[in-house]
Structure formats: structure tokens, C-alpha cells
Amino acid sequence: MAARRARLVDAIVGLGRSEANLRTAVERGIIDFATYDPAAAAHDADLVVMATPIRAMPATLRAMRPALPPDAIVTDVGSVKQWVIENLEPELGPAMALVAAHPIAGKETTGAGAADPSLFQDHRVLITPSARSTPEAIEKIETLWKATGARVSQMSSAAHDRIMARASHLPQIVASALAAALHDAQIEGVRPTEFGAGGLRDTTRIAASSPEMWIDICLTNRAAIIEALAGFRTLVEEFAGALEQSDAAALKNIFERGRAMRRGLK
Amino acid sequence: MAARRARLVDAIVGLGRSEANLRTAVERGIIDFATYDPAAAAHDADLVVMATPIRAMPATLRAMRPALPPDAIVTDVGSVKQWVIENLEPELGPAMALVAAHPIAGKETTGAGAADPSLFQDHRVLITPSARSTPEAIEKIETLWKATGARVSQMSSAAHDRIMARASHLPQIVASALAAALHDAQIEGVRPTEFGAGGLRDTTRIAASSPEMWIDICLTNRAAIIEALAGFRTLVEEFAGALEQSDAAALKNIFERGRAMRRGLK
């Protein structure tokens, strides 16, 4: 939607699985053509934007590959970058380029009905160049994202994955685990979740996100997430120990570090 | 502010510790008189609303007690009810009444500058009657809270504390622990928290809350919070195990339970 508004694209073909979603995309003018057929989507495509759950990307690209122009550029919007590079590069034709990218913005809703061209305004987009990223291809992807109002920068895919394990994947896991822990809770026949206020709502908001998407992020950024989750588990055990000991100073230390982090968020 | 608007009160005396905060309260018309002196605040008071951190309530009431009218009614706004009842009842004169209450609404900001008369609109207020709650006193407190637009109901203090341990105290601890775990995080000289989007912001919003208030909640509702926290720790360990085993089905189960809980929140 943003690329069209910026007149960066001619025709946009949507390759999808769900008729309802493709229909919505056509009706909202997000795409010009809808198809279930990877070869039809690939035909004449200058640029392929992979936006499936991460683990579906290699097979999707493989199915498109025979019909793609030899110099097609492939990019993606996945939240994990090393796995995407390692698994998409082998699927490229010899003259194709890959520019792995991650727009850091999202909603807990999915599908064409939730599409919002202002979603990326003032958000970051990280580009993680790899062996198969040509300068021309990188420039094209930067131009595309800048047209959405995003701030584009580059970093290594390894740093990206460890940073996002903390800034995005860990918060999702914590929110989902909190929500799952409260799912069946009952006290004297009452559901505690009916007595939550804004704190419960905010803390669990992203737990409504797509399980399918998040399973793939967890499995493809597994090592970095295990590392980030270990830091959180240590903190929770520290808190539980302080509470069992009624150690006010230790509790204060954790609450104050938490407040300092939150106040430092821009 | 809401009680005044509803013409339920004559004069409101603010007993505080901070000159700046008392000054703000007078300037905004929240209170008519400001004092540091518990006896001055107690003089002629029909109703005492305890709104200090929980562990400061007994000593504050003890200091006010000699100057209170013999039939004064005492209430509070604390997030824990059993401890408050057990520790305030012994401080009451023989003709006084206690009505412990909990307005389930709040903000991560504190002080008179953050006061908002619409904060309680459509929120719940729980009243937890005790041996020293007379029907007349309960009615008075219900009238007070209904004037703020809140939905008032009653339950036992024991049920209240176990429900709020899950609906409010656990989310606070989880948000603070997540924020604290990320406080000092650095990856290749970069602070991951600078790369967070809305998910990180929402999940940690309440980590900015007052440490002083939350230390008191933790220490006075310790047993119920230990129980609620144990459920969360089990879930987190379950998630970590599933991730280490690359067990997609187990991850899916947790993400789906989390989504079901969140979608069920009103």
C-alpha cells in the first residue's frame, strides 16, 4: 500500500493460501492479482517479498524459482535473519540477489484486513546484508522501506537475531506464558482474569498474536532465544527467592531496575 | 475529586509527607487542607481513607486514632485485603468501623499530579467486609465508590487476595522482571531495548510503577503471590523445555492457550 502510494511499483501479485484473505487484499486494493500458484506469482516478478511464516519461506521460493526472471531480487520481512539467509540463499538462481530485511513493527492481528500503510511510519527497518546481497539490490530495498516512512539501517544477521531475541521474542514469550498460566485459573469458582485492569491487558496484549508465526520464530532463532530466556528465568528465580525470604531490599532492587529500564524506553 | 463532584463531602484534608505533592493537591482543588500532622488530619474526620503504601497504614492510623471522632469510619484503597484487615482492626476504637476496599484501577504514575477523577469509571471496586464492618459503614463506602462510576461488589478478603495475586500482582512482577532482565542487556555494544516496538512497550508499561507500593504488596500478600508465581514459573520452564527440544507441538499449545486467554479478556 505504501509502495503503491509512492509509485514504486507497477503490478502487485499476491500469492496466498486463503481465498477470503486474497479476496480482501484485492478488494482493499492492496494487490492487483491474486493467485494460489507460485509459478503464476513468480512470472515477470522483479521483486519477491517473502512474508510467510519463516519456515515456509524456502519451499515457497523453491516453488517460484523456475518461473522467476533470472535477475529477480528476493527480500523478506521475517523476524529472524540468520536462518532466512542460510535457507534462502541456496534457493537463488546464479544472477539473483537476496536482501534479508526486518521491519520492526507489527500488530497482534493478521491478514489483509489488518493491513495498515502507516504501520511502519517512524519505525525501524533493519537490513542484514549477506553474501548474496548486491549494492543495487540493497539500495532498492532501502528505497522501498524508506517510502513507508521507516528509518532504515544495517547490521549483521547474527547481531540482529540476538538483539531481537531480547527486544521482541522474549517479550512475546513472557506475555504468552503469563496469559497461558492464567488461562484456566479459578479461585473459589471465580476466574481471576475477570478482575484484571489495564496492567493485565497491556502485559498480555501480544499474547493474541499468531501462534504459527511465533512457533517459527522460536524454532529458527532457537539458540539466541534460549540465551535471552535464560536471563529472564534467572531474574524470576531471583525474585521468587527474595519473596520467599521476605527480602525487601532484593525486591526493591528488581523493581527499581525494571522501572529504570522502562523509563529509558523512548 | 469524584466525591466532591457528587457532593458527598464537605471538607477534605490531605495528610502527606511531600510538600510538593500536598501543594499540587491544594492547587488542583483535590483537597481543602494539607497537613503533615496525623492528629490535625484526624480531627473531626467522619471518614478516613488510607491511601499510603500498605505497610505504612497501621502506624498512620495509630497516629491519627487519639484525635479521631469515636465513631469514625476507616477505609482503604490497598491492593491487598487480608493483611490490611488484620493490621488495621486492632487500631480501631470500640465504636469505629473498618470497610476494607480495593478500587481495581491504576496508573503507573503516582502523586496528586497524576490524579484523575475518571480513573474509576466502569472499573470494579471490591469491598471485603470483616468483623468490624457495620452495614451502615459498608453502605457509605459503596455510595462513595458508586459516585466515581465504579461497579461495586463484595467478596471475602481471602478470595480477593488470591484473585488479585493472579490478575494484578503476577502481571506486575512479570513486567518488572522482564524489564529488569533487559535493563543492562548489551549485544555488540548495542542496547536491545532501543530496538523494541509496541510489544516491548506494552509488556513492560507497568514496570514504571512505584517500587515502594509494590514491595508492600508483595510482602503483605506473600503467600498468595508465591502460589501464583509458582504457576507462572512452571509455565516458563515448560516453554524453555519445549524450545530446547524443538517441540513445535508443545510450543503451539502454550501460544494457543495464551491467545485463548487474551481473546477472552473483556
Side-chain angles (χ1 to χ4, degrees), chain A residues 55 104-105 123-124 126 155-156 159 162-164 166-167 170-185 187-188 190 192-211 214-215 218-219 222 225-226 229 231-233 235-237 239-240 243-248 251-252 254-263 265-266, chain B residues 55 104-105 123-124 126 155-156 159 162-164 166-167 170-185 187-188 190 192-211 214-215 218-219 222 225-226 229 231-233 235-237 239-240 243-248 251-252 254-263 265-266:
Chain A
R55 290 190 301 164
I104 307 178
H123 280 253
R124 287 178 189 266
L126 296 178
M155 65 167 60
S156 75
R162 295 183 68 211
I163 288 169
M164 296 316 296
R166 288 157 182 80
L170 180 61
Q172 177 66 48
I173 290 164
V174 168
S176 290
L178 174 62
L182 295 176
H183 181 236
D184 296 321
I187 302 293
E188 300 184 16
V190 170
T193 50
E194 290 183 13
F195 291 83
L200 180 64
R201 293 190 67 78
D202 286 351
T203 310
T204 59
R205 181 181 63 82
I206 56 175
S209 304
S210 159
W214 278 101
I215 291 163
C218 287
L219 294 177
R222 189 172 156 273
I225 294 176
I226 286 173
L229 185 55
F232 175 72
R233 289 158 71 196
L235 220 300
V236 169
E237 293 311 303
F239 190 97
L243 188 56
E244 270 151 33
Q245 307 284 320
S246 298
D247 183 342
L251 296 175
K252 185 177 183 191
I254 296 171
F255 281 125
E256 287 192 340
R257 272 188 287 160
R259 179 154 75 165
M261 174 276 183
R262 187 56 177 81
R263 287 185 165 175
L265 279 190
K266 281 180 211 87
Chain B
R55 291 191 301 163
I104 306 178
H123 280 252
R124 286 178 190 266
L126 296 178
M155 65 167 59
S156 76
R162 294 183 69 210
I163 288 169
M164 297 315 297
R166 288 157 182 81
L170 180 61
Q172 176 67 48
I173 290 165
V174 168
S176 291
L178 173 62
L182 295 176
H183 181 237
D184 297 321
I187 302 292
E188 299 185 17
V190 170
T193 50
E194 290 183 14
F195 290 83
L200 180 63
R201 294 190 66 78
D202 286 350
T203 311
T204 58
R205 180 180 65 80
I206 56 175
S209 303
S210 158
W214 279 100
I215 292 163
C218 287
L219 294 177
R222 188 171 156 274
I225 294 176
I226 286 174
L229 185 55
F232 174 72
R233 288 158 72 195
L235 221 300
V236 169
E237 294 310 302
F239 190 97
L243 188 56
E244 270 150 33
Q245 308 283 319
S246 297
D247 183 343
L251 295 176
K252 185 176 184 192
I254 296 171
F255 280 126
E256 287 191 341
R257 273 189 286 158
R259 180 155 75 166
M261 174 276 184
R262 187 56 177 83
R263 285 184 166 176
L265 278 191
K266 282 179 211 89

Side-chain angles (χ1 to χ4, degrees), chain A residues 25-238:
Chain A
V26 170
E27 283 169 2
R28 293 192 62 194
I30 299 172
I31 59 177
D32 299 297
F33 306 103
T35 180
Y36 301 128
D37 176 10
H43 181 71
D44 259 1
D46 305 304
L47 175 67
V48 178
V49 181
M50 311 291 304
T52 66
I54 292 170
R55 290 190 301 164
M57 289 182 188
T60 306
L61 183 55
R62 199 175 308 134
M64 296 177 76
R65 157 86 192 281
L68 278 173
D71 59 350
I73 296 173
V74 177
T75 188
D76 79 306
V77 297
S79 300
V80 175
K81 299 273 63 87
Q82 276 193 288
W83 191 95
V84 165
I85 290 168
E86 283 165 16
N87 288 274
L88 291 192
E89 279 191 349
E91 307 297 341
L92 298 174
M96 294 180 186
L98 174 71
V99 182
H102 178 200
I104 307 178
K107 301 201 278 192
E108 70 277 22
T109 49
T110 52
D116 171 4
S118 69
L119 181 64
F120 305 108
Q121 185 76 44
D122 297 323
H123 280 253
R124 287 178 189 266
V125 172
L126 296 178
I127 288 179
T128 59
S130 63
R132 299 297 299 272
S133 308
T134 61
E136 300 73 33
I138 292 173
E139 197 187 325
K140 195 163 188 172
I141 301 307
E142 287 192 343
T143 301
L144 174 67
W145 282 112
K146 281 177 185 162
T148 68
R151 290 176 287 134
V152 182
S153 57
Q154 296 186 17
M155 65 167 60
S156 75
S157 57
H160 169 279
D161 287 359
R162 295 183 68 211
I163 288 169
M164 296 316 296
R166 288 157 182 80
S168 166
H169 310 168
L170 180 61
Q172 177 66 48
I173 290 164
V174 168
S176 290
L178 174 62
L182 295 176
H183 181 236
D184 296 321
Q186 287 228 354
I187 302 293
E188 300 184 16
V190 170
R191 299 173 59 84
T193 50
E194 290 183 13
F195 291 83
L200 180 64
R201 293 190 67 78
D202 286 351
T203 310
T204 59
R205 181 181 63 82
I206 56 175
S209 304
S210 159
E212 186 183 21
M213 183 176 96
W214 278 101
I215 291 163
D216 277 19
I217 291 171
C218 287
L219 294 177
T220 57
N221 197 26
R222 189 172 156 273
I225 294 176
I226 286 173
E227 183 187 68
L229 185 55
F232 175 72
R233 289 158 71 196
T234 301
L235 220 300
V236 169
E237 293 311 303
E238 192 186 314

Side-chain angles (χ1 to χ4, degrees), chain B residues 1 31 80 102 116 119 142 150 157 175 195 197 238 240 246 249-250:
Chain B
M1 296 164 96
I31 59 176
V80 175
H102 178 200
D116 171 4
L119 180 65
E142 288 192 343
S157 57
F195 290 83
E238 193 185 314
S246 297

